[in-house]
């Protein structure tokens, strides 16, 4: 093979990664894709995630036809040697994990080109962050900067509609009395022969005892091709974006998706570009097809949160992975590792764990305020929690997991990313969902047979970290609240007795 050859990783599958210019490969450069078995052997992934990634890679290879050499190998190193041979010049876009970046930099003849698939170059972010004079980094400030510099939802120098943040109009509890929000169904793809082949391969790997998976692998629910991802984006913008804002934080037992876009796996596989997603949402608002609170909420998720998380992954450095400010060392129990939702009585946790088991996806609030909050309350090791999220979610990758789990959900970074630990008692879950009604526990009970494990877990967490919470103006009231609890000793005894048992 004559070079330069361009190497595409499995999360670099959209056209942006092969576009010439901005450090991209030469037009018509031969392409190499490597399916590494070792990746699947090292970690016990959700089967639906393994399926999605392999399906997307193989679909991309089929589209590229003769231009691509698709190699199945044990490791990337072996795969590249097989595909490109010694002495071949190879280019690759900046990978999305530190491990992969270390690998490509260590390989002779491989030139690393700038990343694609994000809005802001990491060097621009570093300059922005360093220029803040030691002030704490906050997503809101970053988001406004991105809006200005990318002219997103702006009217001249002002935010469209006059306000940067429309959260006040969003975050409503779900409408009472309805089991579902009543939105048009989200886009779901149709499987192809490639999916059948992937399923056969996964069955064989499992039978051979080579790899093992967790979770169920039903029909593929998320796009594996650019065409499918564009259909999903179009359907979301046309039919579901309008209601995105108000119910962004709400949960319904029978409606796991609500108005969420389900675009994260497509964005993270590189099938969609963030710029086209926010542009489509802005156009819908400018055409009068969706209200500003929903459009701003969606743009904030992508141009604000997603982008911020990507930047922090690189900015905070390798050590961030080991952060453990709260000194949590608990092991994840078996029922959690196995996604054994049926072992759990608490309806919120059992519902959400079942969603993860069955689909490898649940929306932001179940991740943060049910799953993450439970792990935080139980004091589980943040690195183990991060690994669990990475393996069990269809959209999980190292870059997106570290800030979201270590920082946002487990407060293991001591507040570099958020202003306070995110956890709550059952009252929050009750207000924001229909999950508590038929539950065996009562959200307002701290002790006794019907004590809500979320409420008791919350007070146990506050008690364990009362010193730290008392010093933070955003949580000092919670720490003071302990003084009002006449049943604290009984609560702490019951929580200790619960240990790692499924609540
Ligand atoms: P929507 O609610 O429709 O939001 C639109 C888009 O915004 C998403 O598709 C996503 O690309 C982006 N987005 C919003 N918030 C974030 C965020 N905090 N980080 C990154 N992107 C964001 N997101 C992932 O993509 N992969 C993960 O592995 C992941 N793990 C998470 C773990 C925890 C503990 C928490 C609290 C959040 C995590 N998130 C993750 C962020 C967020 O929950 C998901 O992006 C979102 O639920 C995906 O569903 P959606 O596409 O319907 O999102």
């Amino acid at each position: 093979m004559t070079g330069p050859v361009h190497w595409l990783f499995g999360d670099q599958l959209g056209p942006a990664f092969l576009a010439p210019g901005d450090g991209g490969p030469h037009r018509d450069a031969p392409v190499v894709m490597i399916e590494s078995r070792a990746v699947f052997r090292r970690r016990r992934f959700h089967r639906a995630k393994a399926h999605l990634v392999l399906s997307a890679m193989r679909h991309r290879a089929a589209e590229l036809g003769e231009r691509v050499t698709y190699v199945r190998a044990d490791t990337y190193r072996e795969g590249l040697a097989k595909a490109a041979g010694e002495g071949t010049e190879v280019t690759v876009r900046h990978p999305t994990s530190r491990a992969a970046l270390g690998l490509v930099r260590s390989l002779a003849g491989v030139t690393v080109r700038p990343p694609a698939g994000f809005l802001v170059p990491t060097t621009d972010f570093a300059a922005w962050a360093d220029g803040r004079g030691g002030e704490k980094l906050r997503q809101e400030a970053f988001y406004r900067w991105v809006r200005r510099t990318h002219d997103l939802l702006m009217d001249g120098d002002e935010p469209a509609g006059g306000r940067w943040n429309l959260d006040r109009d969003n975050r409503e509890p779900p409408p009472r009395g309805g089991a579902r929000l009543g939105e048009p169904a989200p886009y779901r793809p149709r499987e192809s022969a490639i999916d059948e082949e992937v399923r056969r391969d996964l069955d064989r790997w499992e039978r051979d005892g080579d790899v093992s998976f967790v979770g169920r692998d039903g029909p593929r629910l998320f796009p594996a091709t650019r065409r499918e991802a564009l259909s999903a984006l179009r359907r979301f913008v046309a039919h579901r974006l309008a209601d995105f804002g108000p119910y962004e934080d709400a949960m319904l037992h029978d409606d796991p998706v609500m108005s969420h876009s389900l675009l994260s796996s497509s964005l993270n596989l590189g099938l969609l570009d963030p710029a086209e997603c926010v542009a489509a949402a802005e156009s819908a608002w400018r055409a009068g097809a969706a209200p500003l609170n929903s459009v701003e909420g969606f743009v904030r998720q992508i141009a604000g949160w997603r982008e911020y998380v990507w930047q922090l992954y690189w900015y905070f450095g390798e050590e961030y992975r080991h952060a453990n400010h709260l000194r949590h060392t608990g092991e994840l129990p078996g029922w959690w590792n196995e996604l054994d939702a049926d072992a759990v009585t608490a309806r919120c946790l059992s519902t959400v764990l079942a969603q993860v088991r069955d689909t490898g996806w649940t929306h932001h609030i179940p991740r943060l305020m049910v799953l993450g909050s439970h792990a935080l309350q139980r004091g589980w090791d943040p690195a183990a929690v991060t690994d669990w999220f990475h393996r069990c979610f269809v959209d999980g990758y190292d870059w997106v997991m570290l800030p979201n789990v270590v920082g946002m959900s487990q407060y293991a970074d001591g507040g570099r990313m958020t202003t306070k630990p995110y956890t709550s008692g059952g009252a929050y879950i009750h207000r924001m969902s229909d999950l508590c009604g038929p539950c065996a526990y009562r959200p307002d009970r701290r002790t006794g047979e019907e004590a809500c494990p979320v409420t008791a877990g919350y007070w146990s967490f506050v008690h364990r970290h009362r010193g730290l919470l008392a010093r933070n103006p955003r949580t000092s009231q919670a720490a003071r609240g302990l003084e009002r609890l006449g049943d604290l000793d009984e609560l702490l005894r019951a929580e200790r007795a619960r240990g790692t048992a499924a609540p």
Side-chain angles (χ1 to χ4, degrees), residues 35-113:
E35 199 178 285
S36 154
R37 182 82 69 87
V39 169
F40 294 97
R41 250 203 319 267
R42 272 198 294 267
R43 284 186 141 130
R44 193 163 168 232
F45 286 105
H46 197 298
R47 188 160 152 149
K49 176 183 193 162
H51 182 129
L52 177 64
V53 173
L54 291 178
S55 173
M57 287 181 71
R58 293 179 189 184
H59 273 100
R60 184 63 172 136
E63 283 165 8
L64 292 171
E66 291 185 354
R67 188 176 168 195
V68 71
T69 305
Y70 193 88
V71 182
R72 290 177 186 151
D74 198 50
T75 64
Y76 287 127
R77 202 179 282 271
E78 274 175 42
L80 193 65
K82 249 196 214 174
E86 221 170 289
T88 308
E89 232 186 287
V90 176
T91 57
V92 64
R93 283 276 186 193
H94 189 297
T96 62
S97 76
R98 286 182 175 275
L101 181 63
L103 171 75
V104 296
R105 282 189 175 152
S106 75
L107 296 171
V110 176
T111 309
V112 183
R113 296 277 168 81

Side-chain angles (χ1 to χ4, degrees), residues 49 236 244 248 257 259-265 267-268 297-298 300-303 305-307 309-310 361-365 367-369 372 389-390 393-397 399-401 404-405 408-410 417:
K49 176 183 193 162
F236 169 71
F244 177 84
E248 221 180 318
V257 179
S259 281
H260 289 273
S261 69
L262 296 178
L263 294 176
S264 52
S265 59
L267 279 156
N268 297 353
F298 180 71
R300 168 182 297 269
Q301 296 309 310
I302 291 187
W305 281 113
R306 181 175 190 272
E307 196 66 25
V309 158
W310 163 253
W361 180 93
T362 177
H363 80 67
H364 187 73
I365 294 302
R367 294 186 202 206
L368 185 65
M369 299 308 288
F389 270 102
H390 182 150
F393 280 79
V394 287
D395 52 16
Y397 294 86
W399 68 267
V400 70
M401 278 308 163
N404 271 311
V405 184
M408 184 172 242
S409 136
Q410 300 302 296
M417 183 167 176

